[in-house]
Each structure stands twice: as C-alpha cells, then as structure tokens.
Amino acid sequence: MKLPGQRLMASDFICRTVAKVFRDEGMIDGAMQGINMTGGGGGGACAHIVSKRNEHEKLLIAQSNRTTIRLAQGAFPGAAADDLRWLASFGAEDGAIAVAADSEIDDLSELAAMMTSDPRSASFAGGPAVGGGDTSRS
C-alpha cells in the first residue's frame, strides 16, 4: 500500500484501518506493508503508481479527499483520476477558518459579505500538519 506523505497523517490511518479490516475478514494473513511517499501532496504517489506500478493488481494507494479532488482537477502531471481504479472512500475532511481574537469579523456571514464586496479583502493560508488528519487549515 502506498501512503502519500508522512506517518500519522490521514493516509496512514486509512492504511492501518484497511489492513485491520483485511485481517479481520481473513483476506490477508499478518501484516500489510505500507510505504510513505512524499511529494506533491499525494500527486507523487499517484504519478508513481500510474507510470511505474500500474500493472500491480494488489497495490493500493490511500490519499485524502483533497488529494483526490486535486487529481480530478488535473493538478498532478502524469496522473489523472481515470488512471486509477477507485475502490472506496471513507471519512470526512474537516477544516476551519480562524481569525485573530481582535478581528472585526465575528462570524462567517460577515466574512462572506466582506469577501463579496471585495474579494481581496481577506487572505487565507493552510497546509498539512503532522498528526493533523492530513490537512489543517487556518
């Protein structure tokens, strides 16, 4: 099983869960190997599977919902959504919008109104956090 990114991220959780289900259902004996692949927010693992290991029928790749969406949008050169066979999706990807304690923005409707009148009035940032369920946004 290929795991994009680092240990303790969403893909690591998915791989451990899938391995447990496979063991519990008698589909595998013992452990299932997981290999972390960094690069491109999951795109490196997808491109590797498509270009180098596409004929391996028992190879699985675990990725976040965000990576799947970016793959479908064509964000990863060398891999497209149709290049992979989708087996399952589980879990949800959470996110948060946070502002400074002294911000003039009190709720989401105020932020939406501000962005509607001036789309450049606010900026957003985010990225992966180890142990953070793959992607934490703030």
Side-chain angles (χ1 to χ4, degrees), residues 62-136:
Q63 57 195 22
S64 70
N65 295 333
R66 180 174 166 255
T67 301
T68 304
I69 291 167
R70 290 178 37 95
L71 182 66
Q73 292 172 331
F76 305 126
D82 292 341
D83 292 332
L84 301 170
R85 184 176 42 207
W86 301 98
L87 299 179
S89 176
F90 60 93
E93 193 159 326
D94 54 7
I97 298 174
V99 297
D102 60 352
S103 173
E104 62 189 48
I105 302 167
D106 290 320
D107 57 38
L108 187 57
S109 62
E110 287 183 18
L111 175 62
M114 187 175 91
M115 299 281 302
T116 300
S117 71
D118 180 7
R120 296 179 184 214
S121 62
S123 59
F124 296 86
V130 175
D134 195 32
T135 306
S136 295

Side-chain angles (χ1 to χ4, degrees), residues 21-80:
V21 169
F22 282 6
R23 277 191 307 276
D24 291 351
E25 295 298 318
M27 298 169 71
I28 62 171
D29 296 324
M32 184 167 69
Q33 181 183 15
I35 301 169
N36 288 307
M37 296 189 73
T38 59
C46 292
H48 174 81
I49 298 304
V50 170
S51 67
K52 306 220 185 295
R53 306 213 38 206
N54 205 22
E55 302 301 319
H56 296 167
E57 294 178 359
K58 294 184 180 182
L59 179 68
L60 301 175
I61 182 171
Q63 57 195 22
S64 70
N65 295 333
R66 180 174 166 255
T67 301
T68 304
I69 291 167
R70 290 178 37 95
L71 182 66
Q73 292 172 331
F76 305 126

